[in-house]
Amino acid sequence: MKRDSGGMSGTPWVSDLVLIGGGHAHVHVIKMLAMPPLRSVVEENGIRCTLIAKDVYTPYSGMLPGLVANHYTADEMHIDLNRLCRLSHVRLIHVSATGITYQPGGGGTVTCDDGRPPIRYDALSIDIGSAPSGFSSHKTMDVTPVKPISEFASRFRELKNRLQETAKSYTKERPFTLLVVGGGAGGIELALSAQYSLAQILENSGGNRNLLKVVLATRGKGLLESHHSKVRAIFQRIFAERGIEVRFEAEAVGVEASPQNSTTTHGDVNENGTFRKM
């Protein structure tokens, strides 16, 4: 069944592969589509590939700790999907998908938020990332979810600006407290990189870098529980050397506003959350 003129080889399109979201898995697929032999296989079999993405620039989460530590800029951390799709001959549709239909015989359609006709697919893949549930309403309470990563850079920049403005107001009794929830590799990288970055801001803004307190809370009984014991021991030593406090068997179950007379927080990513012992 011919749908249009087809790809570079002249073979008519006979089936549609649609990718929703510009996550890591889809970025890898699109990259592979630019390389032989997959490029030739796709074209010779008349497979048209389409990416539907609400963001043209997608962040690479592996560089997030470097962004937090000021080693990379936000631009350096992002992948240009438009450029990548052109290289791979993938059709890019810059919209948000709002609905999916399924046909009994296979395939279906994807509806988008710009009112265009539904986009047909024979095979569909969804890679839109994840976000923590239950915390979206607390952004005004100085909670900074890492995901979605596409929004994290601006939120962390706001936190740094706030710290810069208030750097001289912290004391030994009332330090700037940063609470990181999660004892996996991501949480550990974030705690270490954030400590490095925020300590520099305090020092460069007339404050005292020693008045930064970093706390990591994890529901596990140890750090990096899925890693080798030698790796865990190395990071336990690093955390001790860096003065990062760890609270084990503590699961974050909610967020409460910090009381004005609190001695453990100063209105930033606060330590006054509610934890449940496992």
Side-chain angles (χ1 to χ4, degrees):
M1 179 177 62
K2 183 175 180 179
R3 294 186 184 146
D4 56 32
S5 59
M8 297 290 290
S9 66
T11 304
W13 302 127
V14 295
S15 61
D16 283 287
L17 167 63
V18 174
L19 313 175
I20 299 179
H24 291 180
H26 285 174
V27 167
H28 182 68
V29 168
I30 296 169
K31 178 182 177 182
M32 294 300 294
L33 286 171
M35 304 176 182
L38 186 57
R39 178 70 258 160
S40 299
V41 171
V42 167
E43 290 190 347
E44 290 170 2
N45 288 276
I47 302 172
R48 174 169 59 181
C49 300
T50 301
L51 173 66
I52 300 173
K54 67 175 183 177
D55 298 312
V56 174
Y57 293 93
T58 186
Y60 175 55
S61 61
M63 295 176 68
L64 183 63
L67 173 73
V68 171
N70 296 322
H71 298 322
Y72 307 120
T73 66
D75 287 341
E76 290 172 330
M77 177 186 150
H78 285 72
I79 299 170
D80 186 345
L81 292 178
N82 191 26
R83 182 180 179 184
L84 182 62
C85 286
R86 287 201 308 269
L87 176 68
S88 303
H89 305 153
V90 172
R91 181 174 60 158
L92 172 62
I93 300 178
H94 184 198
V95 295
S96 291
T98 57
I100 300 171
T101 65
Y102 303 90
Q103 301 297 330
T109 60
V110 178
T111 55
C112 303
D113 63 354
D114 65 345
R116 71 177 62 225
I119 299 169
R120 186 190 181 284
Y121 68 84
D122 295 286
L124 178 70
S125 177
I126 302 173
D127 182 21
I128 56 176
S130 61
S133 62
F135 290 93
S136 59
S137 61
H138 298 293
K139 290 181 182 179
T140 57
M141 295 168 62
D142 301 306
V143 175
T144 306
V146 174
K147 295 183 178 181
I149 294 175
S150 58
E151 300 176 10
F152 177 77
S154 61
R155 291 197 300 265
F156 189 71
R157 184 167 56 249
E158 291 173 1
L159 186 151
K160 292 193 295 183
N161 290 340
R162 193 162 62 247
L163 175 59
Q164 189 173 23
E165 294 170 357
T166 59
K168 297 180 181 180
S169 65
Y170 303 103
T171 64
K172 185 176 181 180
E173 293 74 25
R174 194 174 183 178
F176 180 95
T177 302
L178 174 70
L179 169 64
V180 178
V181 177
I188 286 177
E189 289 179 334
L190 184 60
L192 291 169
S193 57
Q195 184 193 50
Y196 174 83
S197 175
L198 299 181
Q200 284 188 327
I201 291 175
L202 275 173
E203 190 171 62
N204 296 337
S205 302
N208 184 342
R209 64 186 299 127
N210 295 321
L211 298 180
L212 169 65
K213 179 180 179 181
V214 178
V215 181
L216 185 141
T218 175
R219 61 185 176 183
K221 296 181 179 180
L223 297 175
L224 298 170
E225 289 187 307
S226 62
H227 290 66
H228 193 278
S229 59
K230 291 184 178 180
V231 175
R232 297 199 302 270
I234 289 172
F235 279 97
Q236 288 170 359
R237 173 180 56 78
I238 291 174
F239 265 48
E241 292 172 352
R242 297 276 290 268
I244 297 177
E245 177 185 341
V246 182
R247 300 187 182 181
F248 298 109
E249 298 183 89
E251 181 179 4
V253 296
V255 179
E256 297 175 357
S258 303
Q260 292 185 356
N261 61 351
S262 171
T263 60
T264 59
T265 182
H266 197 61
D268 294 288
V269 180
N270 65 65
E271 192 185 340
N272 202 41
T274 302
F275 293 88
R276 180 179 63 206
K277 284 289 183 182
M278 300 291 284

